[in-house]
């Protein structure tokens, strides 16, 4: 069937099937077939959920292109947000929308949120309003249908004016803006920009993203997906109904249904068992009688089936504490890799529950001699900007942006907000009013305030604060404008920061600030793995979307981590708890399904009480131990849900004893 999909020449196709059934492979072969037929690579758009999925697709396409790597690299493989930004960055779109598709990063969004607080709206209510606006945009609800009163209108007006004056855009509003443009007379020429559009994991996209994709397709549109694999990665409002109803709402759609799964049949059976719970659809189980994309038997068998090596390739491991797990699991992995003389460590992924676990795993793995990338868990810029010493990576990123783009207003807004409990949002609001009254751009207004004589009276309240920051920023730019490569990283204070490690390892040393900024921004907004087969991957559950590994080791698989604590909160409603449980079941099932060979689900039974509470583990009881208090925790409930299809649990020390490591 996959060959049939690859050669399909109709207008629209829908490819559906269980996890690891070959949906992505079908799209890869379709793209490769188009290249072999002489189709212009620039006329092909492939859309994937995340930058990691895009990277994996490019690698697979290049391998399938029969030596025509240059053509494969010329194919546009984009995330939904990248595709929308591409549409909105065209001169006609900028003119029609009056907006600049300079997307705020999550850290920059926090400054935007502080500026929104100047209306005086309580923060919880403000967040609810903004979430409502974002949901309406994602669902393409017409503005006249929005439930907007005077207070909501004031918030919406401030949001739009703030972003427009700052020449910035929210990721949440970009898809709706792109659709509005493409459906307008001004966007007529942009419709059908790509002859062939192929979309993987279509169910992960919002309705606005799905509509944008459809409008970009000229000759053919092919979508692949599985509602059970719906993840909130490309958007907070995915639309699995858009995939389920794709063929019902359109005429002439050819539906291809894959039924098998390739790889480890025990893993397929495990995922199948999870499909019987919550909002998962049992219709998307892998059939044990079908063949997967590699031609092998699919989902037959279960844990302990007696096959050679079955237990070693599919197991759960129980440790006493997080430290025991971290030390023991990394020992096990070191022995595993040593046993493979030609090991490609990039084919192994350690799945971690959160950022703290990623940092700990990265540190211990490196002590074991591994080269490690935690891009799948550490791509954001965290910290508290109200205290710059606690937001060093964000400060360094802001400095880099100022060196590369000295007129970037988003960078200036961040720069002017550090080390103030309100991030100087009141001063910035006064600046915006000053600019509006004087008919100035926000940048020119800031420059005017910063360039005036220090003895002059303030043109508005707290203008001197912004003036001081402006002068400090200009001095920094002037002092470091000519630096390149590693000298730039030293100047911005990026040395030793985990967020800049991959950038530091990838550059030659002669890159200017603009080149470094583009690389670093990509690592923040669209991170990818190093192109090195000997780098081990550390990722969270969502980063595995669109990926594929020989070995997947899930660390910290305890209730409160997976599923998250929200699935157990007594103060939440039943509906809220169920929503979190369903979301995290899909995340867990999707991640473990990426184990083509070995799957290890690892957990611990107790932890220091302070660590447990701070990390949001679900504590079942507290007991005194060795003069302190420890929290007793449970393994993830998803193991119990899977019943007999779950892996047999071994003790951590027994596992190490098998390898002679304890």
């Amino acid at each position: 069937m996959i060959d049939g999909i690859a050669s399909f020449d109709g207008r629209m196709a829908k490819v559906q099937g269980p996890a690891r059934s070959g949906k992505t492979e079908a799209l890869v072969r379709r793209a490769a077939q188009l290249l072999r037929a002489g189709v212009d690579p620039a006329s092909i758009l492939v859309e994937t959920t995340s930058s990691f999925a895009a990277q994996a697709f490019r690698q697979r396409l290049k391998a399938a292109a029969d030596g025509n790597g240059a053509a494969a690299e010329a194919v546009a493989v984009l995330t939904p947000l990248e595709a929308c930004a591409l549409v909105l960055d065209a001169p006609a779109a900028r003119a029609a929308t009056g907006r600049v598709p300079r997307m705020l990063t999550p850290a920059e969004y926090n400054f935007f949120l502080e500026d929104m607080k100047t209306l005086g709206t309580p923060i919880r209510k403000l967040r609810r309003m903004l979430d409502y606006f974002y949901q309406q945009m994602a669902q393409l609800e017409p503005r006249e249908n929005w439930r907007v009163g005077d207070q909501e209108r004031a918030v919406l007006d401030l949001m739009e004016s703030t972003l427009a004056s700052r020449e910035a855009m929210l990721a949440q509003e970009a898809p709706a803006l792109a659709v509005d443009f493409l459906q307008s007379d001004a966007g007529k020429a942009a419709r059908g920009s790509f002859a062939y559009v192929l979309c993987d994991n279509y169910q992960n996209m919002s309705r606005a993203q799905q509509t944008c994709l459809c409008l970009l397709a000229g000759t053919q549109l092919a979508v692949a997906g599985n509602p059970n694999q719906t993840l909130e990665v490309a958007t907070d409002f995915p639309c699995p109904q858009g995939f389920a109803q794709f063929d019902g709402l359109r005429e002439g759609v050819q539906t291809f249904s894959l039924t098998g799964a390739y790889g480890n049949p025990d893993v397929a059976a495990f995922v199948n068992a999870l499909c019987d719970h919550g909002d998962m659809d049992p219709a998307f189980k892998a059939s044990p009688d079908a063949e997967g994309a590699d031609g092998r038997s699919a989902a037959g068998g279960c844990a302990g089936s007696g096959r050679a090596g079955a237990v070693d390739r599919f197991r759960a491991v129980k440790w006493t504490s997080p430290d025991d797990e971290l030390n023991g699991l990394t020992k096990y992995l070191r022995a595993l890799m040593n046993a493979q003389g030609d090991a490609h460590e990039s084919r192994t992924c350690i799945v971690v529950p959160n950022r703290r676990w990623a940092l700990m795993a990265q540190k211990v793995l490196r002590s074991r001699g591994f080269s490690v990338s935690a891009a799948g868990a550490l791509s954001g810029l965290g910290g508290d900007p109200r205290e710059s010493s606690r937001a060093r990576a964000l400060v360094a990123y802001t400095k880099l942006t100022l060196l590369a783009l000295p007129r970037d207003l988003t960078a200036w807004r961040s720069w002017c907000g550090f080390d103030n409990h309100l991030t100087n949002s009141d001063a910035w609001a006064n600046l915006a009013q000053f600019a509006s009254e004087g008919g100035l751009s926000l940048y020119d207004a800031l420059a005017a305030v910063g360039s005036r004589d220090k003895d002059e009276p303030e043109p508005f309240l707290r203008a001197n604060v912004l003036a001081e920051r402006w002068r400090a920023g200009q001095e920094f730019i002037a002092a470091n404008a000519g630096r390149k490569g590693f000298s730039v990283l030293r100047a911005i204070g990026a040395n030793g920061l985990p967020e800049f490690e991959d950038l530091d390892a990838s550059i030659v040393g002669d890159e200017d600030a603009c080149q470094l900024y583009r690389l670093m921004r990509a690592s923040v907004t669209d991170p990818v793995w190093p192109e090195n087969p000997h780098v081990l991957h550390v990722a969270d559950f969502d980063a595995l979307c669109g990926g594929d590994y020989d070995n997947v080791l899930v660390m910290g698989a305890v209730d409160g981590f997976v599923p998250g604590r929200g699935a157990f909160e007594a103060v939440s409603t039943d509906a809220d708890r169920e929503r979190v449980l369903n979301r995290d079941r899909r995340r867990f099932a999707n991640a473990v399904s990426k184990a083509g060979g070995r799957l290890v689900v690892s957990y611990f039974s107790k932890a220091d009480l302070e660590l447990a509470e701070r990390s949001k583990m679900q504590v079942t009881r507290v007991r005194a131990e060795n003069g302190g208090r420890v929290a007793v925790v449970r393994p993830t409930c998803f193991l119990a849900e899977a019943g007999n299809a779950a892996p047999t649990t071994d003790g951590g020390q027994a596992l190490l004893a098998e390898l002679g490591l304890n």
Side-chain angles (χ1 to χ4, degrees):
M1 184 176 292
I2 288 181
D3 289 337
I5 298 169
S7 59
F8 175 73
D9 61 0
R11 167 65 180 149
M12 286 182 283
K14 173 182 175 180
V15 182
Q16 61 185 11
R20 295 192 71 88
S21 58
K23 302 183 294 296
T24 302
E25 179 65 17
L27 297 185
V28 169
R29 294 190 195 179
R30 177 59 186 149
Q33 176 69 21
L34 291 171
L35 295 178
R36 282 193 292 271
V39 171
D40 181 4
S43 70
I44 304 172
L45 169 64
V46 177
E47 197 149 8
T48 64
T49 295
S50 69
S51 52
F52 294 113
Q55 180 185 30
F57 195 100
R58 291 188 196 99
Q59 292 169 344
R60 293 172 69 169
L61 179 57
K62 190 173 181 179
D66 297 333
N68 195 359
E73 289 178 355
V75 172
V77 184
L78 306 175
T79 65
L81 184 57
E82 287 177 320
C84 293
L86 182 67
V87 170
L88 293 169
D89 203 29
R94 287 197 179 206
T97 63
R99 301 292 301 280
V100 178
R102 194 287 195 199
M103 306 297 168
L104 297 186
T105 66
E108 292 166 344
Y109 179 85
N110 289 335
F111 287 98
F112 161 78
L113 194 60
E114 289 296 320
D115 292 340
M116 295 299 297
K117 292 179 184 178
T118 57
L119 282 175
T121 307
I123 183 59
R124 289 187 178 181
K125 187 173 184 179
L126 176 62
R127 289 182 185 273
R128 285 198 300 270
M129 287 183 187
L130 292 173
D131 285 344
Y132 173 75
F133 298 153
Y134 302 156
Q135 185 174 20
Q136 300 310 296
M137 294 173 186
Q139 295 173 348
L140 288 181
E141 191 67 32
R143 284 287 181 99
E144 58 268 23
N145 295 343
W146 292 20
R147 300 190 304 273
V148 177
D150 291 342
Q151 193 172 28
E152 289 82 4
R153 171 57 60 187
V155 170
L156 186 59
D157 288 346
L158 179 60
M159 179 187 85
E160 293 180 334
S161 63
T162 296
L163 293 166
S165 67
R166 205 174 296 177
E167 298 180 353
M169 187 177 292
L170 300 179
Q172 294 91 334
E173 61 176 341
L177 288 171
V179 170
D180 287 346
F181 168 69
L182 289 171
Q183 290 179 333
S184 69
D185 291 340
K188 183 177 181 180
R191 294 197 290 270
S193 310
F194 294 90
Y196 299 90
V197 174
L198 314 176
C199 179
D200 200 12
N201 288 307
Y202 189 76
Q203 77 283 344
N204 289 344
M205 300 165 61
S206 68
R207 184 184 175 204
Q209 292 169 339
Q210 291 171 348
T211 303
C212 179
L213 180 77
C214 294
L215 290 170
L216 289 175
T219 302
Q220 183 180 84
L221 171 64
V223 303
N226 173 350
N228 288 348
Q229 294 179 284
T230 302
L231 302 178
E232 297 172 10
V233 177
T235 172
D236 289 333
F237 306 100
C239 185
Q241 306 94 320
F243 178 74
Q245 300 169 4
F246 184 83
D247 47 348
L249 298 177
R250 299 168 177 82
E251 295 182 359
V253 178
Q254 176 69 52
T255 299
F256 297 90
S257 296
L258 303 170
T259 58
Y262 63 93
N264 188 331
D266 285 338
V267 175
F270 184 33
V271 175
N272 274 358
L274 294 173
C275 291
D276 289 324
H277 298 274
D279 64 353
M280 301 275 271
D281 187 348
F284 284 88
K285 289 183 178 181
S287 170
D289 301 321
E291 288 187 345
D294 57 359
R296 294 181 296 192
S297 178
C302 61
S305 60
R307 298 184 326 277
V311 175
D312 183 55
R313 295 174 67 241
F314 182 65
R315 68 198 312 165
V317 185
K318 176 182 177 180
W319 308 88
T320 302
S321 68
D323 286 342
D324 290 338
E325 179 191 44
L326 193 60
N327 291 324
L329 200 62
T330 55
K331 276 186 182 180
Y332 165 74
L333 184 58
R334 180 71 275 171
L336 189 67
M337 293 294 104
N338 288 345
Q340 302 175 20
D342 59 345
H344 282 188
E345 290 84 352
S346 64
R347 298 294 304 154
T348 295
C349 185
I350 306 293
V351 184
V352 293
N354 52 46
R355 184 183 183 88
R356 175 191 291 272
W357 253 248
L359 289 168
M360 292 191 304
Q362 185 181 53
K363 181 179 180 180
V364 177
L365 286 166
R366 286 177 174 167
S367 74
R368 304 276 187 222
F370 286 106
S371 294
V372 183
S373 172
L378 298 176
S379 58
L381 298 173
D384 186 349
R386 293 171 297 184
E387 188 176 334
S388 59
S389 62
R390 298 174 58 190
R392 293 173 56 207
L394 177 57
V395 173
Y397 177 78
T398 302
K399 288 181 175 180
L400 178 59
T401 309
L402 289 176
L403 286 177
L405 305 170
R407 295 180 65 91
D408 186 273
L409 284 164
T410 297
W412 278 109
R413 172 62 189 99
S414 300
W415 180 253
C416 290
F418 292 125
D419 295 313
N420 178 268
H421 71 290
L422 295 175
T423 67
N424 290 318
S425 55
D426 52 346
W428 196 264
N430 294 336
L431 173 70
Q433 183 176 354
F434 173 74
S436 177
E437 292 172 352
L440 301 171
S441 71
L442 205 53
Y443 180 87
D444 289 339
L446 182 61
V449 169
S451 301
R452 79 188 206 292
D453 191 273
K454 294 182 180 180
D455 296 328
E456 291 183 36
E458 288 185 304
F460 54 83
L461 189 63
R462 302 195 75 236
N464 286 343
V465 173
L466 301 184
E468 181 182 344
R469 297 301 293 160
W470 164 265
R471 288 190 287 269
Q474 291 295 335
E475 289 173 5
F476 173 79
I477 293 170
N480 298 285
R483 294 181 183 270
K484 292 190 175 183
F486 302 106
S487 178
V488 173
L489 297 185
R490 287 193 297 272
I492 64 176
N495 295 85
L497 297 179
E499 295 86 350
F500 282 80
E501 282 186 359
D502 285 347
L503 175 65
D504 187 44
S506 67
I507 65 176
V508 176
D510 60 355
E511 297 87 353
D512 61 23
C514 289
Q515 292 171 303
L516 292 174
Y517 167 73
R518 286 193 294 270
L519 291 170
M520 188 59 199
R521 179 171 174 83
S523 77
V524 171
T525 61
D526 298 293
V528 294
W529 300 112
E531 296 286 351
N532 185 333
H534 298 296
V535 172
L536 189 70
H537 294 178
V538 175
D540 61 24
F541 287 90
D542 293 334
L544 272 71
C545 181
D548 176 68
Y549 290 95
D550 295 334
N551 308 302
V552 171
L553 289 78
V554 180
M555 178 179 289
V558 299
D559 280 348
F561 281 176
V562 54
R565 183 180 282 185
F568 308 98
E569 289 284 8
V571 296
S572 299
T573 65
D574 290 342
D576 286 339
R577 287 191 292 270
E578 189 68 15
R579 180 187 60 80
V580 174
L581 187 62
N582 288 335
R583 179 200 67 193
D584 288 354
R585 183 185 294 107
R586 293 192 301 271
R587 295 173 69 228
F588 180 79
N590 183 73
V592 300
S593 75
K594 303 306 178 183
R598 176 178 287 98
L599 172 64
V600 177
V601 179
S602 173
Y603 61 92
F604 45 86
S605 59
K606 63 182 181 180
D608 175 78
L609 180 59
E610 183 181 352
L611 173 65
E613 292 180 340
R614 189 169 61 248
S615 302
K616 298 184 179 180
M617 301 175 198
Q618 179 64 13
V619 178
T620 60
R621 62 190 177 93
V622 178
R623 69 187 187 202
E625 189 173 297
N626 298 326
R629 294 194 300 167
V630 298
V632 177
V633 296
R634 296 184 303 239
T636 173
C637 60
F638 299 141
L639 288 173
E641 282 187 358
N644 292 334
T648 301
T649 298
D650 300 311
Q653 296 308 310
L655 172 67
L656 297 180
E658 287 180 19
L659 302 173
L661 296 175
N662 59 350

